Amino acid sequence: MGTRAWALLLVLCGTIFLEGIDVAMLAVAIPSIRSDLDLPTDTAAWVMSAYVLGYAGFTLLGGRAADLLGRRRMFLTWLTVFLAFSGLGGFATEGWTLIVARFVTGVSAAFMTPAALSLITTSYEEGEQRNKALLVFAGTAAGGFSLGLVIGGLLTQLGWRWVFFAPVLLAGALLVAATRLIPHQPHQPRPAESENAEPGNAEPGNAEPGNAEPEKGPGRPRRRTEGFDILGAATAAAAMLLAAYAVIRLEHGLDGWRLTAGAALAATTLLVVFVAVERRTPTPLVRLGILRTGSVVRADLGALLFVGAFFGFQFVLTLYLQELRGWSSLQTAIALVVLGCDAILAPTLTPRLVTRFGHAKVILGGFVLAVVAYGLFLPVGMDWSYAAMFPTLIIAGTAFALAYGPLTIAATDGVAESEQGLASGLLHTFTQFGSAIGISAVTAVYGLASSGASAGSDPDATLSAFRAALIVPVAMVTLGALLSSFGIGSRTKPPTAGAPAAPAAPTTAAATVIAATPADAIPGASANPARQGSS
């Protein structure tokens, strides 16, 4: 790649780094914020949960908006919104201001990130060059979260407001560079939107009236928003918001189960309505036929299981280190940095393995390594040294490097370029919900296992509850390994057709849900790890 191509990649990678570092830093800073602003536990939890709702609720819509309204436009617009509301959070003096700021920041990330991903798939030549760009992007996402934990600890020592202001400075620099480097994109007609139509079959001279084909004559193209599926967009956003809320509430177990069940039922109902709308509208937000393309659904499910297991394990490990071992937030963050080894391995080792074995076998290898890693930690003891934990950490990080990038290729294999934003949005949606489900599931199992009267005061009982919770990530990656063994991606060589979308950023939702778990939602735990020392 030339200098300009590398510069563009640096900007796009900087965006996903910004997202990862932003959430990781806030997760570390929540205890100081809570103490300084005298926030109650539920308000502090919603400061983080609001980001999950915004991100997971609008990711699908954000991905399709990039296809229909312009990737450059969506990227620059929502990067600006991200910058503005991150700054607003830094000036907040009330809890509600922080909640609003984090919700809008999550929404902006839901639009900004798929746009950045699809910019990669349309800016780099298909094949080795694009795959390398995607894997660099994946490694940067993981590196942002890992470094954010440490940087957040350091900045919090200077004052928690710097956790908001630092992303503003980085976002400002990225915005200036992106304005210069991202080219204006020529108008492209929308693809055939019928459920049974194959994407890419709409030719410029034969577009249907609703497909936004440029008109000849007056010199102005037809507006790309003509026929935009407003009802589909509204029902999709509402369904995703309610589903994300229901998943977050799973961590409370049976407490308030009627509200959790009501949210899940409402989300399911709206999802059915959304499917009905998409089947009938001539210009659907989501062409349902994409779900039958290649291995899209299987790969997205694989990503959900893998990401959910990864961050579910990380959450249990964080509780173990801080609640049982008494490690500080900064000590824990430094210990977990080794999980970020995928930032190095993803762009260096993984491309070679994919070239030699194909992405399907590399995905399966990643799942198998994850089963080994989490299984090694099941017999964790009260006085394990860091050396005893290190094999699990390094193997888990390596597994992430092997599985995540190739899962992205499989999730977009055979998808037309005009629907790359949609494919990225689907992948984002699955990974966001995967991380939320993983965190909520381990929290619920931990709560059930430690529900005895002695769990809060007996370290052995608490350790037993941690071991029970560790079964969840083991089960998830085992199921994922079985799924991948049936062929996530049918190719045995690197794909030469289709435009693989760049990896999503699962770290965001994971860090958010970690910090969002209220202390009183975890029986036997004195505080959530993200709030250690806040009382």
Side-chain angles (χ1 to χ4, degrees):
M1 291 189 290
T3 303
R4 187 176 182 86
W6 274 110
L8 175 60
L9 181 60
L10 180 63
V11 169
L12 297 175
C13 287
T15 303
I16 199 67
F17 181 85
L18 168 67
E19 183 195 3
I21 201 172
D22 172 76
V23 176
M25 290 193 302
L26 187 60
V28 175
I30 277 291
S32 297
I33 296 173
R34 180 186 177 191
S35 176
D36 187 41
L37 298 184
D38 195 24
L39 301 180
T41 298
D42 57 346
T43 300
W46 272 107
V47 170
M48 302 300 293
S49 296
Y51 190 95
V52 175
L53 291 177
Y55 203 143
F58 289 90
T59 298
L60 183 59
L61 178 59
R64 194 56 176 145
D67 288 332
L68 301 181
L69 305 180
R71 299 177 181 104
R72 184 180 191 273
R73 179 189 302 172
M74 289 293 99
F75 180 84
L76 295 178
T77 298
W78 290 100
L79 178 58
T80 302
V81 175
F82 189 100
L83 182 156
F85 278 84
S86 184
L88 175 64
F91 289 108
T93 58
E94 300 287 342
W96 69 266
T97 309
L98 283 173
I99 292 173
V100 170
R102 294 308 294 171
F103 178 79
V104 178
T105 303
V107 173
S108 66
F111 282 84
M112 174 182 70
T113 305
L117 307 186
S118 56
L119 277 168
I120 286 186
T121 66
T122 55
S123 300
Y124 295 89
E125 184 178 353
E126 186 180 348
E128 182 179 352
Q129 184 182 94
R130 181 179 294 168
N131 287 343
K132 183 175 182 179
L134 299 181
L135 292 170
V136 169
F137 195 88
T140 305
F145 178 73
S146 300
L147 291 176
L149 292 172
V150 179
I151 295 174
L154 296 175
L155 288 179
T156 302
Q157 302 300 314
L158 300 176
W160 62 263
R161 297 184 187 276
W162 278 104
V163 168
F164 290 90
F165 294 144
V168 169
L169 299 177
L170 178 56
L174 291 173
L175 184 61
V176 172
T179 303
R180 297 175 59 88
L181 289 171
I182 301 176
H184 290 274
Q185 297 172 308
H187 172 80
Q188 294 179 346
R190 289 173 60 181
E193 297 288 1
S194 170
E195 180 185 355
N196 298 320
E198 291 299 323
N201 289 341
E203 298 182 3
N206 301 314
E208 295 297 326
N211 286 342
E213 174 68 21
E215 292 179 343
K216 302 180 188 283
R220 293 184 62 186
R222 179 178 299 165
R223 289 178 59 85
R224 301 186 70 174
T225 55
E226 183 175 332
F228 190 78
D229 183 14
I230 300 297
L231 181 58
T235 53
M240 294 298 101
L241 281 169
L242 285 168
Y245 178 70
V247 169
I248 291 172
R249 283 199 55 82
L250 287 176
E251 65 192 25
H252 298 290
L254 297 178
D255 293 337
W257 67 269
R258 290 184 178 84
L259 181 58
T260 304
L265 179 61
T268 302
T269 302
L270 283 172
L271 184 60
V272 172
V273 173
F274 171 71
V275 172
V277 169
E278 299 307 278
R279 291 179 65 89
R280 287 168 173 76
T281 182
T283 55
L285 178 72
V286 176
R287 186 183 64 83
L288 299 179
I290 194 175
L291 301 179
R292 299 193 298 267
T293 302
S295 57
V296 169
V297 174
R298 283 183 297 171
D300 286 345
L301 286 172
L304 182 151
L305 292 168
F306 190 87
V307 170
F310 183 84
F311 291 108
F313 167 75
Q314 187 184 69
F315 179 47
V316 176
L317 176 60
T318 302
L319 280 176
Y320 166 75
L321 293 177
Q322 294 195 12
E323 299 300 331
L324 274 183
R325 306 298 297 276
W327 292 21
S328 69
S329 297
L330 184 57
Q331 286 176 314
T332 302
I334 294 174
L336 297 184
V337 165
V338 68
L339 287 171
C341 66
D342 59 340
I344 299 173
L345 297 178
T348 55
L349 175 63
T350 306
R352 297 179 182 180
L353 295 177
V354 169
T355 299
R356 182 169 181 178
F357 301 107
H359 58 260
K361 292 181 179 178
V362 176
I363 290 170
L364 178 57
F367 271 108
V368 171
L369 280 180
V371 173
V372 173
Y374 306 147
L376 286 174
F377 211 79
L378 282 175
V380 60
M382 189 71 68
D383 56 352
W384 269 25
S385 65
Y386 184 69
M389 306 176 209
F390 186 81
T392 288
L393 299 179
I394 193 69
I395 295 174
T398 303
F400 198 97
L402 295 185
Y404 190 69
L407 275 169
T408 302
I409 297 175
T412 56
D413 204 15
V415 178
E417 184 174 293
S418 59
E419 291 186 319
Q420 284 300 307
L422 173 58
S424 297
L426 286 170
L427 182 61
H428 266 283
T429 300
F430 275 82
T431 54
Q432 291 295 318
F433 276 97
S435 56
I437 289 170
I439 297 295
S440 297
V442 297
T443 303
V445 171
Y446 177 88
L448 292 173
S450 60
S451 58
S454 62
S457 57
D458 185 357
D460 290 330
T462 302
L463 179 61
S464 178
F466 285 144
R467 289 172 177 166
L470 284 169
I471 296 175
V472 172
V474 173
M476 292 182 77
V477 288
T478 300
L479 182 58
L482 292 174
L483 178 65
S484 63
S485 67
F486 286 104
I488 290 183
S490 58
R491 300 174 184 233
T492 56
K493 295 180 181 180
T496 57
T507 53
T508 299
T512 303
V513 181
I514 288 174
T517 306
D520 53 8
I522 306 176
S526 61
N528 184 282
R531 302 185 176 88
Q532 186 72 16
S534 60
S535 56

